[in-house]
Structures are given as C-alpha cells and as structure tokens.
C-alpha cells in the first residue's frame, strides 16, 4: 500500500511540475482584439499571466463600455495546458461581478510573441506579447 501511495505522489508532482513549466511559457502581458458576440464591435483585450495572479480584461469603445459593467475589470484567469504549446484560458467574470460571463478560450502558441485561437462560440482571437 505504501508503494502505491508514493507512486501517486510522484505522478502528481510530475504533472504539476509539467503544468507549471508549460504555463510559464506564456507568462507576461498580452494584448489583442476580438469581436463582441452581440454587436461585432472590436473589443480590446489585455491579459496578464503571472505565477501569483493572472487576469483577463476586456475594454470597449465609448457607448458600449458605458452599457456594461463587465468592461475594464480584471477577471480571474485559470490556465490549463494541453501540451504542445496549447492552452485553455478559463475566465469566470461572474466570480467578480454578478451577471458577467464565464467563458473559455482555446489558444495555441504560434511563436514567442503570438497566441492564436478561438472562443467557445467560434470567434477568433490573436494575442501579442508586449
């Protein structure tokens, strides 16, 4: 029984170390744009990924920004690594402001400065490292 326990510990440590190494490949500040799902307007995106705290922020043009409380806030970001420079970003806006959306974005690291992918609804997004 003791051997099984140690094997489980070793496996869990190797998985968490692998995750940390993969997530560290995208540490830093990223910016980009995406289309709003309802209006098609351009939204500005700012993503900060750090070991201690990561967040996702949407900004929108004038009238659209005033129409929603969900713009210009740092929403918690959780990163899942799919291996081979593929990531899923999970953002839960409702954890900070009730009524803001929860969504995920599938991204792939194209090069050291570019993440490219899609939202769950199929909209595309490209993030560039600052």
């Amino acid at each position: 029984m003791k051997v099984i326990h140690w094997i489980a510990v070793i496996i869990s440590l190797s998985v968490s170390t692998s995750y940390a190494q993969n997530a560290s490949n995208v540490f830093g500040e990223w910016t980009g744009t995406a289309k709003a799902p309802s209006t098609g307007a351009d939204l500005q995106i700012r993503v900060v990924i750090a070991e201690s705290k990561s967040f996702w922020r949407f900004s929108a043009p004038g009238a659209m920004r005033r129409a929603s409380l969900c713009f210009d806030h740092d929403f918690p970001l959780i990163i899942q690594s799919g291996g081979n420079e593929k990531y899923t970003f999970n953002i839960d806006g409702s954890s900070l402001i009730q009524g803001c959306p929860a969504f995920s974005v599938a991204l792939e690291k194209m090069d050291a400065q570019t993440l490219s992918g899609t939202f769950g609804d199929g909209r595309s997004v490209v993030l560039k490292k600052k």
Side-chain angles (χ1 to χ4, degrees), residues 15-67:
V15 168
S16 63
T17 302
S18 170
Y19 169 77
Q21 289 171 346
N22 288 338
S24 68
N25 289 337
V26 292
F27 280 3
E29 185 173 345
W30 301 80
T31 59
T33 60
K35 298 288 183 189
S38 56
T39 65
D42 285 332
L43 301 176
Q44 300 298 314
I45 301 167
R46 179 173 177 242
V47 176
V48 173
I49 302 169
E51 193 169 331
S52 61
K53 181 181 177 185
S54 299
F55 67 84
W56 177 285
R57 173 186 282 245
F58 272 126
S59 297
M64 190 174 177
R65 177 183 298 145
R66 290 186 296 274

